[in-house]
Amino acid sequence: MSQGMLRLGRREFAAHEPVIMAIVNRTPDSFYDRGATFGDEPALARVEQAVAEGAAIIDVGGVKAGPGDEVSAAEEARRTVGFVAEVRRRHPDVVISVDTWRHEVGEAVCEAGADLLNDAWGGVDPKLAEVAARYGVGLVCTHAGGAEPRTRPHRVTYDDVVADVLRVTLGLAERAVGLGVPRESVLIDPGHDFGKNTRHSLEATRRLGEMVETGWPVLVSLSNKDFVGETLDRPVKERLIGTLATTAVSAWLGARVYRVHEVAETRQVLDMVATIAGHREPAVARRGLA
C-alpha cells in the first residue's frame, strides 16, 4: 500500500518527506534532560532551537513516561496548556503535538491550539480519540502491549510481537477514522520500549517495513531509549550513536516521523538516507565537476 500525504495542522508532508518531532518535556523528572525544560523560558528556547534545526513538530509532554510521583490531570494540564498557547502564538505554522493519554488534557490542549495528540499508551483512555475527532486534530496510535501508563514491562511475552503491534495499531487507527479523525492525520507507532523488552523493540525495528506496507504513516520514538542502551551497554547520555544508527535503519525502511531529543544530528541522518534513496538531491555537487 502506497504512502500518501500526511496533514498535521497547517502543514502537509509529501510521501517521502521525513519529519522530525522534537521533544520538549515540561516535567521536573524526565529521564533524559532531568527537568532542563521544566521552566517556561528554557522550554521556549528549546522550541526556538528545535525549529531552527529543522523540526516541523514540537511534542510537549507534561508527565514522564516512567514511574515517579503522581501527576494529576489538572497538574498535567497546568504544565502544558499555557505553554501550548504560547508556542502557538510564537510559531503559527509549527505543528504542536501533546504527549498525553488523558482525554481531559487532550481537550484542554486542543482548545489552546494543539494539532496532534500523541497517545503513547495505546488508547488506554478511549475518549482521547473522540477528542481528536471532535477538534479535527491528528492522532498517534501506539502499541504499548496493554501496559498501564507509567509502568515498566515485566517478563512480557508475545507469540509474534510485530503481529501484535499491527493488530493493535491498525485497530486504533481504524477506530479513530471511524470516529471522525481525518485519515491523513493518523499515524501508527510500534511503541519501542513500551510493553516490550529489548529484543521486542529490536524485532519491531527490524520488521518496521511491515508497518510501512499498511499505508499508514509510521512514527518512531527511538531517542536514547533503553533498548538502545541495553544493546550497546551505554548509559542514557551515551546513546546518541546507537539512536542515529536505528534512525537510519528506520528511515531506509520507510518511517515518516521521528520523535527525538537531538534534532540537528537527526536531520543530517535523515537527509543522508533520503539522498541515498533518491528522494532528495545533494545540497551541493561539486566533486569531479570543477
Side-chain angles (χ1 to χ4, degrees):
M1 195 170 173
S2 62
Q3 295 281 310
M5 181 73 70
L6 174 63
R7 291 185 175 88
L8 299 170
R10 298 185 181 184
R11 302 287 296 275
E12 293 188 350
F13 304 98
H16 295 294
E17 182 179 356
V19 183
I20 294 178
M21 169 189 273
I23 299 165
V24 180
N25 289 314
R26 303 308 317 280
T27 60
D29 53 356
S30 55
F31 92 101
Y32 182 71
D33 59 35
R34 301 298 179 190
T37 53
F38 187 45
D40 287 348
E41 288 310 312
L44 289 167
R46 160 73 175 157
V47 172
E48 296 286 343
Q49 179 186 11
V51 171
E53 291 177 347
I57 307 173
I58 300 298
D59 190 49
V60 181
V63 185
K64 67 176 285 190
D69 293 340
E70 173 66 22
V71 180
S72 67
E75 173 60 17
E76 183 185 355
R78 188 191 69 79
R79 295 175 179 183
T80 56
V81 175
F83 184 72
V84 166
E86 182 59 18
V87 174
R88 177 85 294 148
R89 187 184 71 80
R90 296 188 183 200
H91 299 276
D93 295 326
V94 77
V95 178
I96 302 176
S97 168
V98 175
D99 181 351
T100 185
W101 74 89
R102 291 166 164 149
H103 74 275
E104 307 96 323
V105 176
E107 187 141 16
V109 296
C110 286
E111 285 286 346
D115 304 299
L116 176 64
L117 297 175
N118 181 11
D119 182 8
W121 289 103
V124 68
D125 180 351
K127 292 182 180 179
L128 189 64
E130 297 172 16
V131 170
R134 192 157 63 250
Y135 284 89
V137 303
L139 183 70
V140 180
C141 300
T142 308
H143 180 272
E148 287 295 313
R150 307 193 66 196
T151 61
R152 298 196 191 283
H154 179 66
R155 297 184 180 179
V156 62
T157 61
Y158 299 95
D159 290 334
D160 181 331
V161 65
V162 175
D164 203 68
V165 166
L166 289 169
R167 177 184 64 82
V168 170
T169 58
L170 298 184
L172 291 169
E174 291 293 353
R175 175 179 181 267
V177 171
L179 288 168
V181 180
R183 179 173 285 271
E184 63 274 16
S185 304
V186 175
L187 303 103
I188 58 174
D189 177 355
H192 289 82
D193 277 1
F194 280 63
K196 299 172 187 66
N197 62 30
T198 288
R199 285 185 171 84
H200 293 145
S201 292
L202 292 169
E203 183 170 357
T205 306
R206 186 163 54 247
R207 296 171 59 189
L208 197 68
E210 293 177 42
M211 294 188 74
V212 173
E213 287 168 5
T214 68
W216 295 99
V218 176
L219 180 150
V220 287
S221 184
L222 312 168
S223 194
N224 302 294
K225 283 195 167 176
D226 284 348
F227 83 96
V228 175
E230 288 192 358
T231 297
L232 302 176
D233 193 17
R234 289 290 186 269
V236 170
K237 291 296 184 180
E238 296 177 19
R239 298 176 183 175
L240 175 59
I241 294 173
T243 296
L244 295 177
T246 313
T247 299
V249 170
S250 300
W252 188 256
L253 292 174
R256 297 282 293 279
V257 180
Y258 303 80
R259 182 178 180 271
V260 304
H261 296 97
E262 292 93 357
V263 175
E265 294 88 341
T266 303
R267 182 79 270 164
Q268 288 190 49
V269 169
L270 295 178
D271 285 350
M272 193 72 204
V273 173
T275 307
I276 293 170
H279 303 314
R280 174 187 179 273
E281 289 296 314
V284 295
R286 293 186 290 263
R287 184 172 173 80
L289 300 177

